[in-house]
Amino acid sequence: MNHTEHAHSHAGATHAHSHDHGASTPAPIPAEPATETVFTCPMHPQIRQPVPGNCPICGMTLEPVMPTLQEGPDPELVDFGRRFWWTLPLTVIVTLLAMFGQHVSAIPPAARTWAELFLTIPVVLWAGWPFFVRGWQSVLHRSPNMWTLIATGVGAAFLYSVVATLVPGWFPSGFEAHGRVGVYYEAAAVIVSLTLLGQIMELKARSQTSAAIKALLGLAPKTARRIAEDGTEEDIPLSHVHIGDQLRVRPGEKVPTDGVVIEGRSSVDESMITGEPIPVEKTPGVKVVGATINGNGALVMRAERVGAETMLSQIVQMVAQAQRSRAPMQRMADVVSYWFVLAVLAIAVSTLLVWGFAGPEPRWTFAMLNAVAVLIIACPCALGLATPMSIMVATGNAATSGILFRDAEAIENLRRIDTLIVDKTGTLTLGKPVFHSVVPTAGFTEDEVLRIGATLDQGSEHPLADAIVTEAKERGLPLGKAQDFQSDTGIGVKGNVDGQSVALGNTALMTDLSVETNALTEAAEQRRAEGASVMFLAVEGQLAGLIAVADPIKESSFEAIEQLHAAGIRVVMATGDGLATAQAVAKKLGIDEVHGEVRPQDKVDLVAKLQAQGRRVAMAGDGINDAPALARADVGIAMGTGTDVAMNSGQVTLVKGDLRGIARARELSQATVANMKQNLVFALIYNALGVPVAAGVLYPGFGLLLSPLFAAAAMSLSSVSVVGNALRLRRR
């Protein structure tokens, strides 16, 4: 974004964002009310309620939207652990009775059956009760899911066995085995215990996905040292800090909140926010970010953002929102899961009937066991977890590297990008330009041109304007006040100085005002060839001179362009600066295509043109003038050093404003999508192979059947495996 591009963007930013103090913040996201906890489903974030419960769609336990450091043990994990450990001995005894009881002559068959019944009742009706509740909810909400199958399988095995125990005479001889009607208490009990164990393991693994947010929350200091108006100092809770408070930051302490330094000099470690290890020098007038660590110097700062408005809070909110978002791949998985459960129910019924009427003796024993095995092994829990777990882990990992994804769709889309449009100022360059030179026309002096330009521009917070004003002040030039200030986004500014009509901007603005610039064309081209930005000054419709400001290229930009080219991405520069200046920078960096003196609408048109050519376009920018193009691009990438408007329009925010983050983000996008596909393929192949085996297709040729006990173990293992695979992303 060049000097004239800011529109002067500060004018719009000041009015549209009264809270904007120029801090490097990610896109602000409305925070949840501090006094109210909202619960949502990791797989279906559209489900939100103020009290704990289960998701009516998938049955998963709802989790707090925003984790807190004060959270105790997961109540569901505690509850399931208690149910599992208290009933595990009963399950073991029932299983031993079922497997070896017929070999113990001292225990009559009828007594063994009744013993299994009494031992199984607490396992199924107490330990397994949550499964029946969730299964019933899935029926009420017409959302068949894993709990539909588990509740049906356990319930069928248990109820059948109870009837067989109470009224065995109802059953024909084909149902008898080892002197009694076959019962399946051990199947029901083991399925409950193994499902509980799988849930415990899954809950423990899922709890690790919020580790990134909790780590960020833990960065914030608990107290701040406030300086009162009378000069006295006191330590106060961080929640008691207000905007405008003066705070002392002693050596080695954490900066309490976002603000600006008013006294002192020190280096501050901002690595926990930006991922960059090199400390940043802080002097009076420089912004500081809450939770960063002060070095050896002492600072006095003024608080400018507190509570949910701080950079750290907004990063936490953005990460939490991204973790709750649904990837396009997840929508497909939901549809597959829905029809899959219905298909499994149909297969289970068919298995029961085919084995019951056409299978070998004891037909109905085989029929019941195989039907239950089909219901249990086909549980789509792994399918449902496949994408949410990958998204949650990836967004948390990215946040620790200073990369913030707005939602899951951005993660999926970024890997497809083959073209990147970048702005120049603040994106490729430092955004902290320095005065280069001034060239007057006949009738004006250098100081006069500089004074008029600085007077018109002194209200700007843009770094290019700041370079002009700083130079004028260093020369001791008296600056007045501009009247009737107007901005033309992307080309320059206009106003009245000393009663004269004045305009400062690029050639596009001069053309609009019918100001002839030929007299300074050669001087302008010479400076542009050196990489400087050139602004023409017109007074009363006549060319008065030009002001050149140079913006040094970021050292990281060279490496970033190399990485992007290595990834096969075509890099296009689109800037409001003059074409010669843009080409000078592009030549140094090896950028593929250059567009200079573009307006905001031109950037939008460029994005649309490239998309029409079949290219997947990402746009990286940091200013208000970049916002339309950021919104139009397939993926908008906002620089964290830019304006709130730009970051609201982007799907990805680079906290540090370092283009190398794009290559890192794209690599993580590719890894995440690959991880999701691995999980989905694993879950689908598992079910595709498991269901036919459970139904008994291998029995005619190999005599192999899958016990419901092994089906339950395999079902639990599949869910844990998916979560474990997703957690591998934490190591990237």
Side-chain angles (χ1 to χ4, degrees), residues 227-505:
I227 303 174
E229 292 183 4
D230 60 3
T232 59
E233 300 181 10
E234 63 173 335
D235 289 326
I236 61 173
L238 189 63
S239 58
H240 291 182
V241 174
H242 297 93
I243 294 175
D245 283 351
Q246 290 191 12
L247 308 171
R248 183 177 299 281
V249 188
R250 290 166 292 194
E253 288 185 335
K254 288 185 177 181
V255 176
T257 190
D258 295 3
V260 62
V261 176
I262 56 178
E263 289 181 24
R265 177 186 295 268
S266 183
S267 294
V268 175
D269 180 359
E270 297 183 339
S271 60
M272 69 282 292
I273 298 293
T274 65
E276 296 295 329
I278 302 175
V280 181
E281 187 73 15
K282 301 295 182 181
T283 55
V286 177
K287 305 291 182 181
V288 287
V289 180
T292 55
I293 302 174
N294 186 25
N296 295 327
L299 299 173
V300 176
M301 62 171 288
R302 181 175 63 251
E304 293 191 339
R305 292 176 184 249
V306 298
E309 291 295 315
T310 65
M311 183 181 188
L312 179 62
S313 294
Q314 293 186 16
I315 288 176
V316 170
Q317 292 163 27
M318 178 176 276
V319 174
Q321 175 175 292
Q323 288 189 339
R324 297 193 305 269
S325 62
R326 286 160 54 81
M329 204 176 291
Q330 173 63 29
R331 302 186 189 107
M332 176 194 72
D334 285 347
V335 173
V336 171
S337 294
Y338 177 86
W339 292 107
F340 179 77
V341 172
L342 295 180
V344 168
L345 290 171
I347 292 173
V349 172
S350 300
T351 299
L352 179 71
L353 297 177
V354 169
W355 277 91
F357 290 105
E361 294 293 345
R363 298 175 184 173
W364 290 101
T365 297
F366 284 131
M368 176 60 68
L369 288 174
N370 292 337
V372 171
V374 167
L375 291 171
I376 299 305
I377 201 170
C379 169
C381 182
L383 187 62
L385 288 170
T387 64
M389 290 300 103
S390 299
I391 293 297
M392 293 179 75
V393 176
T395 50
N397 184 0
T400 61
S401 299
I403 303 168
L404 305 179
F405 290 101
R406 180 176 296 281
D407 51 35
E409 188 170 1
I411 296 180
E412 281 204 38
N413 290 340
L414 188 59
R415 81 188 199 283
R416 302 190 182 99
I417 294 303
D418 56 28
T419 303
L420 174 67
I421 300 175
V422 293
D423 183 31
K424 183 177 77 67
T425 306
T427 303
L428 294 171
T429 61
L430 289 175
K432 297 179 181 178
V434 294
F435 174 80
H436 184 278
S437 59
V438 56
V439 180
T441 57
F444 290 88
T445 65
E446 286 190 11
D447 284 355
E448 191 174 4
V449 170
L450 185 59
R451 182 188 65 81
I452 295 172
T455 297
L456 182 62
D457 223 5
Q458 66 180 334
S460 172
E461 294 179 0
H462 191 275
L464 283 173
D466 183 63
I468 297 173
V469 175
T470 299
E471 178 67 17
K473 289 181 177 179
E474 288 181 355
R475 295 190 184 192
L477 303 178
L479 302 184
K481 185 176 182 181
Q483 305 292 330
D484 301 326
F485 179 87
Q486 297 178 35
S487 63
D488 289 328
T489 302
I491 60 174
V493 295
K494 296 177 291 186
N496 289 316
V497 176
D498 300 333
Q500 295 179 306
S501 174
V502 178
L504 179 65

Side-chain angles (χ1 to χ4, degrees), residues 29-357:
I29 298 170
E32 301 293 347
T35 57
E36 179 183 355
T37 300
V38 178
F39 295 85
T40 187
C41 174
M43 290 198 292
H44 302 93
Q46 69 271 30
I47 304 299
R48 298 168 67 89
Q49 64 185 47
V51 294
N54 299 320
C55 174
I57 299 176
C58 65
M60 182 176 286
T61 300
L62 302 182
E63 299 177 349
V65 165
M66 186 66 65
T68 65
L69 292 175
Q70 287 71 40
E71 287 181 353
D74 184 340
E76 183 182 29
L77 182 58
V78 172
D79 180 51
F80 278 8
R82 182 173 61 250
R83 294 174 188 268
F84 173 75
W85 290 110
W86 276 98
T87 57
L88 180 62
L90 303 181
T91 299
V92 172
I93 296 173
V94 169
T95 304
L96 292 175
L97 284 174
M99 295 176 64
F100 306 109
Q102 68 270 23
H103 302 301
V104 182
S105 58
I107 306 177
R112 191 171 77 246
T113 300
W114 281 97
E116 290 180 22
L117 168 60
F118 287 119
L119 290 170
T120 304
I121 286 176
V123 179
V124 172
L125 299 185
W126 178 65
W129 185 249
F131 306 158
F132 293 110
V133 172
R134 296 178 184 188
W136 178 242
Q137 288 176 338
S138 71
V139 174
L140 291 180
H141 293 97
R142 299 179 182 177
S143 299
N145 54 48
M146 61 173 286
W147 303 112
T148 313
L149 302 182
I150 292 175
T152 303
V154 174
F158 181 70
L159 290 176
Y160 168 86
S161 301
V162 170
V163 173
T165 302
L166 298 178
V167 282
W170 287 6
F171 296 84
S173 58
F175 283 78
E176 292 186 8
H178 303 294
R180 63 172 184 172
V181 176
V183 292
Y184 311 107
Y185 292 119
E186 81 286 356
V190 170
I191 290 169
V192 168
S193 292
L194 287 175
T195 303
L196 281 171
L197 178 60
Q199 286 295 295
I200 291 170
M201 296 172 66
E202 180 187 315
L203 286 168
K204 287 183 176 180
R206 274 170 49 194
S207 67
Q208 297 180 41
T209 61
S210 63
I213 291 183
K214 291 184 177 180
L216 288 170
L217 289 170
L219 293 176
K222 304 299 184 290
T223 61
R225 190 166 186 82
R226 183 168 59 190
I227 303 174
E229 292 183 4
D230 60 3
T232 59
E233 300 181 10
E234 63 173 335
D235 289 326
I236 61 173
L238 189 63
S239 58
H240 291 182
V241 174
H242 297 93
I243 294 175
D245 283 351
Q246 290 191 12
L247 308 171
R248 183 177 299 281
V249 188
R250 290 166 292 194
E253 288 185 335
K254 288 185 177 181
V255 176
T257 190
D258 295 3
V260 62
V261 176
I262 56 178
E263 289 181 24
R265 177 186 295 268
S266 183
S267 294
V268 175
D269 180 359
E270 297 183 339
S271 60
M272 69 282 292
I273 298 293
T274 65
E276 296 295 329
I278 302 175
V280 181
E281 187 73 15
K282 301 295 182 181
T283 55
V286 177
K287 305 291 182 181
V288 287
V289 180
T292 55
I293 302 174
N294 186 25
N296 295 327
L299 299 173
V300 176
M301 62 171 288
R302 181 175 63 251
E304 293 191 339
R305 292 176 184 249
V306 298
E309 291 295 315
T310 65
M311 183 181 188
L312 179 62
S313 294
Q314 293 186 16
I315 288 176
V316 170
Q317 292 163 27
M318 178 176 276
V319 174
Q321 175 175 292
Q323 288 189 339
R324 297 193 305 269
S325 62
R326 286 160 54 81
M329 204 176 291
Q330 173 63 29
R331 302 186 189 107
M332 176 194 72
D334 285 347
V335 173
V336 171
S337 294
Y338 177 86
W339 292 107
F340 179 77
V341 172
L342 295 180
V344 168
L345 290 171
I347 292 173
V349 172
S350 300
T351 299
L352 179 71
L353 297 177
V354 169
W355 277 91
F357 290 105

Side-chain angles (χ1 to χ4, degrees), residues 589-713:
L589 291 171
I591 289 176
D592 303 293
E593 184 178 331
V594 184
H595 298 267
E597 297 193 8
V598 296
R599 307 185 187 209
Q601 185 57 46
D602 296 330
K603 293 185 179 183
V604 177
D605 294 341
L606 177 60
V607 171
K609 176 184 174 182
L610 291 169
Q611 289 173 329
Q613 296 173 0
R615 305 193 74 89
R616 300 275 186 162
V617 182
M619 168 72 193
D622 67 342
I624 291 175
N625 62 313
D626 296 318
L630 289 171
R632 180 69 174 82
D634 294 294
V635 177
I637 303 171
M639 297 291 137
T641 49
T643 64
D644 286 350
V645 177
M647 285 177 265
N648 273 320
S649 304
Q651 293 175 287
V652 182
T653 296
L654 303 181
V655 176
K656 184 64 177 177
D658 185 343
L659 277 181
R660 289 176 297 185
I662 296 178
R664 289 198 296 268
R666 189 170 183 269
E667 180 183 350
L668 182 61
S669 167
Q670 293 172 327
T672 302
V673 172
N675 192 272
M676 288 192 289
K677 288 180 177 178
Q678 291 165 5
N679 286 344
L680 286 171
V681 168
F682 175 81
L684 289 171
I685 290 179
Y686 164 85
N687 284 302
L689 295 177
V691 171
V693 173
V697 296
L698 297 180
Y699 186 80
F702 302 95
L704 295 178
L705 288 176
L706 185 67
S707 165
L709 312 186
F710 290 105

Side-chain angles (χ1 to χ4, degrees), residues 569-588:
I569 297 177
R570 180 176 178 80
V571 183
V572 179
M573 181 199 295
T575 176
D577 262 353
L579 182 59
T581 303
Q583 287 176 332
V585 174
K587 184 177 181 180
K588 293 179 182 178

